[in-house]
Amino acid sequence: RKEVEQDPGPFNVPEGATVAFNCTYSNSASQSFFWYRQDCRKEPKLLMSVYSSGNEDGRFTAQLNRASQYISLLIRDSKLSDSATYLCVVNKEYGNKLVFGAGTILRVKS
Amino acid sequence: DAGVIQSPRHEVTEMGQEVTLRCKPISGHNSLFWYRQTMMRGLELLIYFNNNVPIDDSGMPEDRFSAKMPNASFSTLKIQPSEPRDSAVYFCASSLTLASVTNRRSYNEQFFGPGTRLTVL
């Protein structure tokens, strides 16, 4: 079983739609959680951290369920510029070692 | 501000040749990471350094791969001899690691360089 699992998609949605991505992780000792975004042929960039209480950044909302070892990302009012691969990332333990999911492809179409 | 700098951006070489990838982390960052990304395996951590010291190299595929960080502003990843299955995008990332883990800031955000696209023929 992979340490971080995501639905690879692609998710094809129209502009303005709401789309949600899910991710599960296997290590219950994981401490920190993130969503990174990667555009085609570019480097990954941090989109947002994920906190136990849930957090929101504009059109983006991230949720963490430690009991179920489950992370989600909700994007409201999708824009064409949201088209990218979204990587679920887990910090295995205190320290620096991040484990990346394979990514979920989002395509927003006009 | 300059981000993480990697060179070369593209490298095409023949099997058996030595390949050296270079990275300059963001000034002031104390952790440096080398990743490899392929379609089949996704983004994999190869090795990471903290304060120029290798902390975890468990992701290094085999003895053909080696990495060094002689100072805080430079690191290399070397493959010798290279093989076609080494073809991938190699990313370098850096971060500022703080001792405290009690706050909720993304203290260990990793900033990635643009990557080196390696093709071994």
Side-chain angles (χ1 to χ4, degrees):
Chain A
R1 182 186 174 190
K2 292 182 180 178
E3 291 187 72
V4 180
E5 298 212 52
Q6 297 181 248
D7 180 345
F11 285 61
N12 295 300
V13 303
E15 274 186 290
T18 295
V19 61
F21 306 139
N22 302 320
C23 164
T24 58
Y25 60 95
S26 60
N27 188 344
S28 59
S30 299
Q31 297 294 330
S32 305
F33 309 89
F34 310 92
W35 285 100
Y36 274 69
R37 170 191 168 131
Q38 186 172 23
D39 293 303
C40 186
R41 302 180 76 86
K42 297 287 189 181
E43 70 274 20
K45 293 183 179 179
L46 178 67
L47 177 66
M48 59 196 303
S49 302
V50 186
Y51 303 127
S52 296
S53 55
N55 50 299
E56 187 174 309
D57 183 0
R59 297 182 293 109
F60 298 82
T61 301
Q63 295 277 356
L64 167 65
N65 184 321
R66 285 188 182 271
S68 301
Q69 295 179 204
Y70 168 98
I71 305 161
S72 66
L73 177 67
L74 183 77
I75 305 175
R76 291 179 298 279
D77 188 23
S78 300
K79 311 290 185 191
L80 293 175
S81 57
D82 294 335
S83 298
T85 298
Y86 290 82
L87 303 167
C88 178
V89 186
V90 174
N91 186 336
K92 288 184 72 169
E93 56 202 31
Y94 287 114
N96 282 317
K97 194 164 182 177
L98 298 183
V99 179
F100 286 75
T104 298
I105 297 171
L106 172 65
R107 297 181 185 144
V108 181
K109 304 193 174 183
S110 58
Chain B
D1 289 340
V4 175
I5 298 172
Q6 290 187 247
S7 64
R9 294 293 304 277
H10 301 272
E11 177 81 25
V12 180
T13 190
E14 293 186 344
M15 181 173 63
Q17 296 298 306
E18 178 179 295
V19 175
T20 299
L21 310 182
R22 298 173 176 79
C23 175
K24 176 178 169 55
I26 292 172
S27 177
H29 282 188
N30 58 358
S31 296
L32 183 140
F33 310 81
W34 282 102
Y35 290 90
R36 177 172 68 176
Q37 187 173 38
T38 62
M39 288 292 292
M40 291 296 294
R41 301 175 67 89
L43 195 61
E44 302 174 285
L45 177 65
L46 300 177
I47 184 171
Y48 83 88
F49 296 83
N50 190 250
N51 294 321
N52 312 339
V53 176
I55 302 300
D56 187 335
D57 65 354
S58 59
M60 294 287 262
E62 48 197 274
D63 292 346
R64 296 185 299 106
F65 285 69
S66 62
K68 294 182 179 180
M69 191 164 186
N71 58 62
S73 58
F74 184 66
S75 176
T76 59
L77 178 67
K78 187 174 292 187
I79 308 173
Q80 165 64 20
S82 59
E83 296 182 3
R85 59 191 169 123
D86 300 331
S87 298
V89 180
Y90 290 81
F91 288 106
C92 175
S94 71
S95 72
L96 175 61
T97 300
L98 303 177
S100 171
V101 298
T102 57
N103 63 55
R104 294 171 62 189
R105 290 180 293 134
S106 53
Y107 63 90
N108 57 347
E109 176 182 356
Q110 294 184 15
F111 294 83
F112 284 73
T116 295
R117 188 170 295 273
L118 174 65
T119 302
V120 183
L121 302 174

